[in-house]
Amino acid sequence: MTGTPTGATDQGTHSTVHGVVLAAGTSSRYGDSNKLLEEVDGEPLVRHAVRTLSASSVDGVTVVVGYEAARVREAVPDLGADIRVNRAFEAGQSTSVAAGVAATRERGDDAVVFALGDMPDVAVQSVETLLRAYRRGDGDALAAAYDGTRGNPVLFDRRFFDALTTIDGDVGGREILLNDPDAAMIETGDPGVLRDIDRPTDLDGRNTDR
């Protein structure tokens, strides 16, 4: 769905949105290395996602870590983000989503935007586009899109927090984004919202130190 859903209401410019980077996974498809620590354009992959959210106008950033938590934490010590350890990370991405929702609830924010730690090419402006869409009432569950294809980051209003904490396995909020009447894809014009790093070959052609 694109555009303004029927049930959407204007959130207003006062709405606060917390930024969460999901960075707890085991990188099982990548091989023996932790892909989040692979050098991409001279820096660990995870730093790119954290920097993007930190440079946007979100109201604070939390990085959810799990697998090799200490090493991932050490990759982002200077970017102003809080760290939350998900000790249940092996149960799937849903546990990290729940941890991110908990951090957002503790702050009392109105919504959460989730970014993935393995997506280094998302533009700051794409995050801003999502925030503006939410605040003008384009929907309560929003996904960044490029050329009509749904990608990441994704944003959820607080009314979905309970649902997000009851999902299981390696599913984030996909069911909400696909089926809720107040869900929408927000066109960003940014191919980076579709580009993640799953395997070493995904880094071919980039300036890396692999």
Side-chain angles (χ1 to χ4, degrees):
M1 177 185 294
T2 57
T4 304
T6 303
T9 57
D10 189 352
Q11 306 293 341
T13 57
H14 64 282
S15 297
T16 58
V17 182
H18 190 54
V20 173
V21 178
L22 302 179
T26 60
S27 309
S28 58
R29 284 182 288 178
Y30 196 83
D32 294 334
S33 301
N34 185 340
K35 67 179 177 182
L36 296 181
L37 301 174
E38 290 286 277
E39 292 279 312
V40 176
D41 300 330
E43 293 185 310
L45 173 59
V46 67
R47 281 185 65 87
H48 295 268
V50 178
R51 183 188 292 110
T52 294
L53 276 193
S54 297
S56 76
S57 60
V58 295
D59 299 275
V61 175
T62 294
V63 183
V64 179
V65 300
Y67 177 64
E68 296 192 336
R71 295 184 65 206
V72 176
R73 181 198 296 263
E74 289 169 3
V76 294
D78 56 337
L79 296 179
D82 295 329
I83 303 294
R84 180 164 293 229
V85 179
N86 170 21
R87 303 192 186 283
F89 67 90
E90 290 182 303
Q93 189 184 84
S94 60
T95 60
S96 292
V97 169
V101 168
T104 306
R105 276 178 157 157
E106 289 169 11
R107 294 172 46 87
D109 289 326
D110 300 301
V112 59
V113 58
F114 289 105
L116 301 184
D118 64 354
M119 296 186 68
D121 297 321
V122 176
V124 175
Q125 186 57 41
S126 295
V127 180
E128 296 298 328
T129 297
L130 273 187
L131 298 177
R132 285 196 301 271
Y134 172 67
R135 287 168 175 152
R136 70 174 173 250
D138 284 1
D140 286 345
L142 304 175
Y146 174 69
D147 198 21
T149 299
R150 179 171 54 89
N152 285 282
V154 293
L155 182 151
F156 297 95
D157 179 77
R158 66 189 310 161
R159 75 180 182 87
F160 295 112
F161 287 180
D162 285 344
L164 289 169
T165 58
T166 59
I167 55 180
D168 295 314
D170 251 336
V171 179
R174 188 178 307 127
E175 201 68 22
I176 295 170
L177 291 166
L178 291 175
N179 297 315
D180 193 274
D182 285 346
M185 292 193 303
I186 304 299
E187 180 61 45
T188 64
D190 174 15
V193 304
L194 305 181
R195 191 178 301 134
D196 62 356
I197 305 297
D198 276 338
R199 297 174 175 84
T201 52
D202 293 333
L203 291 174
D204 288 350
R206 299 191 67 136
N207 176 26
T208 78
D209 294 330
R210 284 191 300 119

